[in-house]
């Protein structure tokens, strides 16, 4: 985490409390109805929300026990710490300024007790801890409680004036209190300490004007016995010091001394006619001594430092330090020596420093606003920490070396700002960002809107307060303009423009409007030309009607009169986006870091600005262009996607054509590529949590990242390269942000800032998470990330690693080269890899391009390398000091490469990818031996069949895909392929092996088909020692070899079904009677779930259609159904034709499987349709298309290898040429362009370039 804005501190005098407890400096403050507990200035330990919505009034922490007391209204809550038994406070926090992550166990505070006062109208205003866990509660009366194991009432006293300040001394012997505008301080002296009879008497300390501050002197350690000293500050700018006199005297406190704050810093020193206000705070003697000791230890002992020597002398006197300062940076420091000393030494007050340059940003609090100071010594680092509470809603923490603070010489940076704590006082409900992410507006449930500026600087505040907007009207939507300098608010019937440059936003202009329907969004329209002062915003209603306004923004310093001219809101035009039936919502897209400037053309290349979705799941994207000359706005529908998601609960779009939808139960997320209308990701989170928010951003190279918000966590999803070979996921979770360690409040909203920072609004707080991630994060250890690298990774670096161009030797790039017919390129790449790895040692870098000229990959004559290319390759090989280099990938070269890949990790590859690369190398070497006897399609099939068998068990699918089946189907070397597949299974091929290789889907020769099928029948019979004829019945009956099957049954004497089966098989099944008997047996077997045997009996009854249906519906085996039909009735039979038309093609349309559709059309001898099916959606080619499911919209249905097959088939025959001629040039061009985009998404940019430059159009 980068930063936390813990919440807006309450504007109360006792809103902050500090204590040094368990070796840690604990700082607590109240914000709304919440308590924020921090460790030092940089770590949030815990945020506690009170069950009551009443705003809290005061907070106090006990240094002895660590207990925290808060009050609000008429109640007091006491929280007890737990989880610190190891002797030091253990925390889980986030560094506020530094990027170094802190990883501790969590320590928490839990509610111990609750106290309620009797009066419902009386509000408790002050709290104070004393000795032995005694708590003083101040309101219209003073009440004293003992907070040990249980809460015990001790004493109370009614007051004439409700207490403004009430403080219990450290030894619980005295109570000092005063009311509002009261010049008298009443000091109560405790006369007895027994819990049964506690009595006090009192005296008055008179002041000439209202008392504005009082506090007791803190002892050096809590157990030290000293005379109590009381400091009071009066409106006359005098600090008075009161000490205890004779304890038997009625006036037991007397004025010891005083410090004139005005005279400490004279008006002449400030060169001003008016005396600026004075501010004063006390540095406790113990903190001053420790800070001085640390400064001495860090001082350069080789040189004499007069400031250090001076401070050492002062620290030896153990004085408190009174610091007086003004808003211009002047400071005067005074030592208060021997106050309350038991040895009755004479007190002494003397000046120790007077200097300029102490800047606490007090000019923000001019005009009579109140500032409270708190000081302590950071015992971990030795510096002084000074906390400044600006009661208008901000706490600043400064740090200073005491030697720098009191150095009399002129110096800069006496104090360093370490943290700024602010936020909201009510829960955040909505966060709206501007286009660049450099400004956001956060809005609470009470209607408060605050503008924050984002500064992406590790040495500065991540979010800085800009302005607060006070609008009494309900705000429907917010639009952030000009990096947060101006805000547009859309109300029910008005639109308003606000100047947010001042700390309190000013209303500039208002315009009333009338619109049909409810306004759903407000958006900043892109400009053709940027203009500093003219912008355009639009709103769209639930009826798809809209209004565009032109806004003139003022420039310069915001010191203009309230009604000066030069800025305005004027209605430019209205528009209508068409039919609004079934509309669910319209919302602006997340800009993902893009600018709002567009070209002068309005086309589908323009970035989207609006998405709309209907209750039926129709998602549409729009872009627009403002025509100022014509006072119109042109709108263009860029894409339309039918998602089939009914009543989406959430949707979010990105300007770079990505959209996410959540179903009605908020349990399932889907991510869509709207440009391609394809589904890229689906995930059900029902068991985990409901989805509440979606936010998009992108890397500088337009790789998308989606933040999915749940109640207490945010999941970051990154797009990944398309992987058609392994059918890998297109999106994956790369980081999970859980906020439970910081706050128990659920997330209200989140938004992306610029540079990959994410801001989360939870309760009163804004949590900013930067893009730095520890590597490897637990959520992405399963992804294909290289196992090399530094301990810290940038979010954008990880996303780029999961996307972006692949190295030439990556297995996916090599596989796509093979599919594209670039075997020569694959050979050259692997030979270059061989030379690069020849002398490779662990830690060496392998060039992603292997030193090869990139233009060779998009030369139009791929099949034959150019002379220049050969010369370059020869030069590259010669550089390795070898006299003879291999010119082809032999098995020896492949073995050498794989030895290196086994021994050493390659930085650009993960372990899994290196295994896949070894498979590719081995397969290419194997195919190279047969290359001269095989055509290109056979080569493709053998490569991927070999890879498939090597990856068996690691791959997602068990069967070879229809893509590889098509390569073999259209090969002229099927006899060689058939032999190689049979040899692979060592002549013992079973049906599962044949199905795995798709053998009977691609064999074209009927005689070879029957021979191989009969071999399968024999192998199925002999696969077990029993030699069960049931296993081969379906195969022999499909071959119409009942006699062979009968012979096998005669040898199966062990089978109890032998006799009945032989009697049945001995009959003539041309007779309808015996066909009926066979059918009855088939149905009986179906009832017993013996499906394959039932299909055999359907064949015995000459009912091929029923046998095919059993294979399809019960066995779920498409290949078996088609093979049985081809064998039983021959090619082109009616059952085969019906199966292809009514089963296979609808299935292909439903799944969007173009490979399957093209194969089916070719089997039907409709080769024109087989060509068209490679380009156009399959459902458009069917007379009665089935309803499509989400599977048909999955991105995997689009495969760039379709281009290679299309190139082959379109001119193969007259019929295919006729089919290609029915494809319009626009559709063909769109198909090629889309395939190039797929190559780019896969990381194969060079292949995308080659496709664009080499594809020939008719």
């Amino acid at each position: 985490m980068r930063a936390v804005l813990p919440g807006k501190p309450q504007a109360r005098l006792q809103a902050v409390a500090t204590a040094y407890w368990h070796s840690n400096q604990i700082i607590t403050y109240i914000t709304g109805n919440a308590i924020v507990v921090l460790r030092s200035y940089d770590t949030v330990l815990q945020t506690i929300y009170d069950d009551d919505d009443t705003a809290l009034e005061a907070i106090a922490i006990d240094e002895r026990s660590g207990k925290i007391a808060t009050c609000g209204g008429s109640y007091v809550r006491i929280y007890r710490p737990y989880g610190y038994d190891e002797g030091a406070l253990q925390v889980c926090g986030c560094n506020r300024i530094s990027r170094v992550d802190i990883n501790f166990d969590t320590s928490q505070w839990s509610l111990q007790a609750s106290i309620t006062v009797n009066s419902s109208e009386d509000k408790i205003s002050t709290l104070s801890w004393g000795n032995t866990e005694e708590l003083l509660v101040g309101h219209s009366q003073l009440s004293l409680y003992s907070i040990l194991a249980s809460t015990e009432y001790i004493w109370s006293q009614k007051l004439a004036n409700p207490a403004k300040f009430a403080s219990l001394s450290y030894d619980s012997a005295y109570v000092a209190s005063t009311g509002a505008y009261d010049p008298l301080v009443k000091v109560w002296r405790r006369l007895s300490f027994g819990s049964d009879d506690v009595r006090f008497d009192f005296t008055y300390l008179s002041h000439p004007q209202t008392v504005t501050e009082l506090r007791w002197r803190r002892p050096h350690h809590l157990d030290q016995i000293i005379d109590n000293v009381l400091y009071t500050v009066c409106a006359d700018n005098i600090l008075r010091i009161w000490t205890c006199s004779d304890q038997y005297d009625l006036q037991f406190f007397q004025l010891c001394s005083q410090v004139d704050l005005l005279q400490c810093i004279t008006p002449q020193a400030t060169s001003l006619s008016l005396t600026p206000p004075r501010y004063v705070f006390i540095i406790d003697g113990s903190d001053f001594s420790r800070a001085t000791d640390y400064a001495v230890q860090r001082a350069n002992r080789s040189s004499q430092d007069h400031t250090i020597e001076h401070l050492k002398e002062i620290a030896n006197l153990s004085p408190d330090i009174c610091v007086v300062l003004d808003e211009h940076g002047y400071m005067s420091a005074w030592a208060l020596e021997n106050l309350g000393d038991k040895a009755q030494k004479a007190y002494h007050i003397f000046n120790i420093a007077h200097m300029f340059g102490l800047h606490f940003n007090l000019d923000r609090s001019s005009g009579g606003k109140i500032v409270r100071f708190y000081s302590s010594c950071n015992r971990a680092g030795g510096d002084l920490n000074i906390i400044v509470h600006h009661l208008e809603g901000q706490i600043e923490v400064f740090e200073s070396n005491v030697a720098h603070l009191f150095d009399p010489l002129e110096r800069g940076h006496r104090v360093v700002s370490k943290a700024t704590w602010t936020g909201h006082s009510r829960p955040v409900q909505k966060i709206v960002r501007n286009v660049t992410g450099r400004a956001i507006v956060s809005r609470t449930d009470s209607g408060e809107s605050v503008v924050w500026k984002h500064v992406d600087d590790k040495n500065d505040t991540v979010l800085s307060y800009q302005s607060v907007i006070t609008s009494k009207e309900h705000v429907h939507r917010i639009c952030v303009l000009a990096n947060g300098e101006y805000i547009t608010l859309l109300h029910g019937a008005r639109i308003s423009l606000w100047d947010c440059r001042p700390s309190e936003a000013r209303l500039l202009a208002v315009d009333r409007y009338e619109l049909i329907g409810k306004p759903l969004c407000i958006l900043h329209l892109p400009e053709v030309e940027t203009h500093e002062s003219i912008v355009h915003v639009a709103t769209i209603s639930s009826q798809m009607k809209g209004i565009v306004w032109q806004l003139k923004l003022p420039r310069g310093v915001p010191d203009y009169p309230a009604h000066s001219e030069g800025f305005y809101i004027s209605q430019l035009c209205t528009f209508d986006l068409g039919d609004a039936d079934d509309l669910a919502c319209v919302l602006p897209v997340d800009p993902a870091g893009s600018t709002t400037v567009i070209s002068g053309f309005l086309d589908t290349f323009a970035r989207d600005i609006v998405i709309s979705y209907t209750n039926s799941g129709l998602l549409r994207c729009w872009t627009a262009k403002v025509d100022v000359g014509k006072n119109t706005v042109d709108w263009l529908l860029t894409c339309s996607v039918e998602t089939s998601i009914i009543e989406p609960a959430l949707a979010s779009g990105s300007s770079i054509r990505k959209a996410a939808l959540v179903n009605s139960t908020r349990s399932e997320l889907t991510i869509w590529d709207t440009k391609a209308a394809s589904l890229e990701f689906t995930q059900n989170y029902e068991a985990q949590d409901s989805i509440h928010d979606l936010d998009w951003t992108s890397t500088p190279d337009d790789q998308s990242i989606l933040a999915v918000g749940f109640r207490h966590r945010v999941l970051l999803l990154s797009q990944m390269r398309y992987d058609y070979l392994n059918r890998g996921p297109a999106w994956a979770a790369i980081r999970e942000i859980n906020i439970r360690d910081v706050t128990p409040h659920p997330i209200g909203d989140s938004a992306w800032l610029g540079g990959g920072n994410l801001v989360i609004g939870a309760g009163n707080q804004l949590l900013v998470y930067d893009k730095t991630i520890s590597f490897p994060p637990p959520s992405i250890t399963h992804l294909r990330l290289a196992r090399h690298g530094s301990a810290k990774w940038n979010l954008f670096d990880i996303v780029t690693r999961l996307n972006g161009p692949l190295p030439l030797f990556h297995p996916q790039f090599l596989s796509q080269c093979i599919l594209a017919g670039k075997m020569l390129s694959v050979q050259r790449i692997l030979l270059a890899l061989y030379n690069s790895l020849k002398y490779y040692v662990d830690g060496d870098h392998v060039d992603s391009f292997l030193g090869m000229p990139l233009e060779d990959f998009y030369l139009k004559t791929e099949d034959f390398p150019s002379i220049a290319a050969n010369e370059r390759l020869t030069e590259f090989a010669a550089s390795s000091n070898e006299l003879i280099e291999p010119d082809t990938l032999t098995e020896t070269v492949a073995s050498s490469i794989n030895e290196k890949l086994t021994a050493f990790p390659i930085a650009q590859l993960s372990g899994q990818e290196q295994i896949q690369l070894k498979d590719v190398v081995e397969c290419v070497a194997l195919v190279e031996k047969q290359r001269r006897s095989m055509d290109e399609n056979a080569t493709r099939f053998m490569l991927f069949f070999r890879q498939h068998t090597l990856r068996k068990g690691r791959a997602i699918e068990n069967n070879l895909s229809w893509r590889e089946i098509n390569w073999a189907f259209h090969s002229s070397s099927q006899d060689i392929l058939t032999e190689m597949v049979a040899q692979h299974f060592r002549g013992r091929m079973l049906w599962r092996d044949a199905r795995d290789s798709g053998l009977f889907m691609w064999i074209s020769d009927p005689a070879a088909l029957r021979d191989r099928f009969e071999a399968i029948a024999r192998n199925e019979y002999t696969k077990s020692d029993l030699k069960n004829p049931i296993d081969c019945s379906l195969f022999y009956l499909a071959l119409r070899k009942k006699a062979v099957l009968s012979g096998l049954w005669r040898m199966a004497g062990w089978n109890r079904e032998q006799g009945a089966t032989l009697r049945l098989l001995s009959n003539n099944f041309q007779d309808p009677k015996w066909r009926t008997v066979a059918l009855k047996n088939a149905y009986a077997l179906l009832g017993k779930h013996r499906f394959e045997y039932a299909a055999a009996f359907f064949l015995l009854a000459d009912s091929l259609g029923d046998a095919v249906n059993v294979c399809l519906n019960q066995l779920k085996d498409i290949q078996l159904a088609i093979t049985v039909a081809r064998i039983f009735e021959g090619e082109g039979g009616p059952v085969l034709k019906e199966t292809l038309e009514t089963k296979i093609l609808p299935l292909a349309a439903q799944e969007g499987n173009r490979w399957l559709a093209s194969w089916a059309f070719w089997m039907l001898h409709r080769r024109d349709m087989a060509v068209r099916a490679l380009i156009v959606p399959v459902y458009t080619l069917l007379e009665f298309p089935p309803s499509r499911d989400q599977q048909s919209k999955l991105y995997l249905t689009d495969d760039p290898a379709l281009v290679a097959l299309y190139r082959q088939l379109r001119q193969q025959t007259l019929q295919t040429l006729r089919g290609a001629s029915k494809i319009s040039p626009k559709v063909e061009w769109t198909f090629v362009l889309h395939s190039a985009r797929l190559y780019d998404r896969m990381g194969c940019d060079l292949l995308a370039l080659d496709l664009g430059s080499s594809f020939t159009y008719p």
Side-chain angles (χ1 to χ4, degrees), residues 494-524:
R494 302 198 313 162
I495 183 172
S496 57
L497 175 63
W498 296 76
D499 185 352
C500 297
R501 291 175 293 175
S503 59
E504 293 186 5
R506 300 177 183 177
L507 179 62
L508 296 180
V510 175
D511 186 43
R512 301 193 67 85
Y513 67 90
E514 293 182 0
L515 185 62
I516 301 175
K518 178 183 177 182
L520 298 179
C521 67
I522 184 171
L523 59 143
H524 185 189

Side-chain angles (χ1 to χ4, degrees), residues 966-980:
N966 269 273
W967 299 132
F969 183 63
H970 293 289
S971 171
S972 59
S973 309
Q974 288 185 358
D975 52 344
I976 298 176
L977 294 182
T978 304
E979 289 299 326
M980 293 185 70

Side-chain angles (χ1 to χ4, degrees), residues 389-568:
H389 177 201
H390 303 268
L391 265 68
E392 67 267 25
Q394 184 170 274
I395 297 175
E396 291 184 282
V397 182
F398 297 88
E399 191 173 76
S400 176
N401 184 318
V402 69
H404 299 165
L405 181 64
F406 297 120
D407 189 351
L409 300 178
E410 183 176 349
R411 67 161 52 239
H413 304 294
R414 294 183 184 272
V415 293
V416 178
S417 177
K418 304 299 290 185
T420 300
W421 300 332
T422 183
H424 289 278
S425 56
R426 293 291 301 168
V428 175
Q429 281 193 334
K430 186 66 178 175
I431 301 176
V432 181
R433 57 168 277 181
N434 76 325
V435 172
T436 61
R438 296 301 174 184
I440 63 169
V441 175
S442 54
R443 186 167 180 81
T444 67
D445 58 1
S446 62
E448 179 187 50
S449 298
V450 176
V451 183
W452 308 89
K453 282 291 189 72
H454 170 223
V455 181
D456 193 12
D457 185 353
K458 66 179 181 180
N459 297 319
D460 203 347
T461 307
V462 174
L463 282 180
S464 60
Y465 175 89
Q466 173 81 4
S467 182
V468 61
I469 305 172
T470 305
S471 176
K472 296 181 180 179
E473 287 187 82
H474 175 69
V475 177
H476 284 296
R477 297 291 184 267
I478 301 173
C479 184
V480 186
L481 306 172
N483 282 334
E485 293 185 356
Y486 302 96
I487 301 294
T488 302
L489 302 182
L490 187 67
H491 310 282
R494 302 198 313 162
I495 183 172
S496 57
L497 175 63
W498 296 76
D499 185 352
C500 297
R501 291 175 293 175
S503 59
E504 293 186 5
R506 300 177 183 177
L507 179 62
L508 296 180
V510 175
D511 186 43
R512 301 193 67 85
Y513 67 90
E514 293 182 0
L515 185 62
I516 301 175
K518 178 183 177 182
L520 298 179
C521 67
I522 184 171
L523 59 143
H524 185 189
L525 295 178
E527 307 287 347
V528 177
E529 296 180 359
T530 57
H531 195 286
E532 290 187 355
S533 60
I534 300 294
V535 296
H536 296 87
V537 298
T539 185
I540 303 174
S541 75
S542 56
Q543 298 298 316
M544 295 299 281
K545 306 294 189 295
I547 302 175
V548 177
W549 289 277
Q550 181 170 285
L551 283 64
K552 175 69 179 296
L553 306 178
R555 311 307 299 175
V557 181
D559 57 356
Y560 46 83
H563 301 287
S564 63
E565 298 180 357
F567 45 85
Y568 58 79

Side-chain angles (χ1 to χ4, degrees), residues 1002-1070:
W1002 51 262
I1003 292 182
S1004 302
D1005 183 10
L1009 185 74
R1010 293 184 65 84
D1011 291 343
R1012 292 298 172 184
F1013 197 73
E1014 189 168 358
I1016 295 291
R1018 289 193 299 269
N1019 294 334
E1020 288 288 342
Y1021 174 69
T1022 59
K1023 69 180 179 182
S1024 65
D1025 294 336
L1026 291 177
K1027 297 183 179 180
N1028 192 347
I1030 294 177
D1031 295 338
C1032 62
S1033 295
L1034 176 61
F1035 301 94
Y1036 277 116
L1037 291 176
L1039 290 164
R1040 298 182 182 271
K1041 293 190 175 184
K1042 187 185 70 168
V1044 175
L1045 183 61
S1046 297
L1048 297 178
W1049 270 108
R1050 292 189 187 97
M1051 294 183 289
W1054 55 269
N1055 195 317
R1056 62 182 182 179
E1057 297 179 2
Q1058 181 192 34
T1061 305
L1062 284 174
R1063 286 193 297 272
L1064 181 63
L1065 291 176
S1066 64
N1067 296 296
N1068 180 14
F1069 286 92
Q1070 299 299 322

Side-chain angles (χ1 to χ4, degrees), residues 26 183 194 282 296 334 409 485-486 507 519 535 554 577 581 586 696 744 787 857 875 904 906 1006 1060 1075 1097 1113 1188:
I26 305 299
I282 302 294
V296 170
W334 299 78
L409 300 178
E485 293 185 356
Y486 302 96
L507 179 62
V535 296
L577 293 181
D581 289 346
V586 179
W696 288 97
R787 56 187 179 274
F857 290 92
E875 292 172 1
F904 302 108
I906 306 299
R1075 288 185 179 180
F1097 272 84
N1113 300 326
R1188 296 189 298 154

Side-chain angles (χ1 to χ4, degrees), residues 773-847:
I773 301 177
S774 298
F775 181 79
S779 59
I780 58 173
T781 52
H782 65 287
L783 298 182
R784 297 164 301 163
L785 287 175
R787 56 187 179 274
H788 322 284
S790 61
K792 294 288 183 180
W793 272 66
N794 184 295
L795 176 67
F796 288 171
D797 292 339
I798 292 179
V799 175
T800 301
R801 194 64 175 267
L802 297 176
N803 297 273
L806 293 169
L808 296 184
F809 49 85
H810 194 281
Q812 171 147 286
F813 184 85
L814 293 172
S815 298
Q816 291 300 326
C817 283
I818 294 169
L819 289 173
K822 293 183 168 296
M823 279 299 298
L824 183 60
S825 293
V826 173
Q827 289 274 348
R828 292 205 300 264
I829 291 171
L830 294 181
L831 289 175
L833 179 64
Y834 165 75
N835 285 297
S836 296
L837 296 180
K838 185 181 299 183
Y839 303 108
Y840 182 87
V841 295
D842 194 13
D844 284 357
H845 173 71
V846 178
D847 180 28

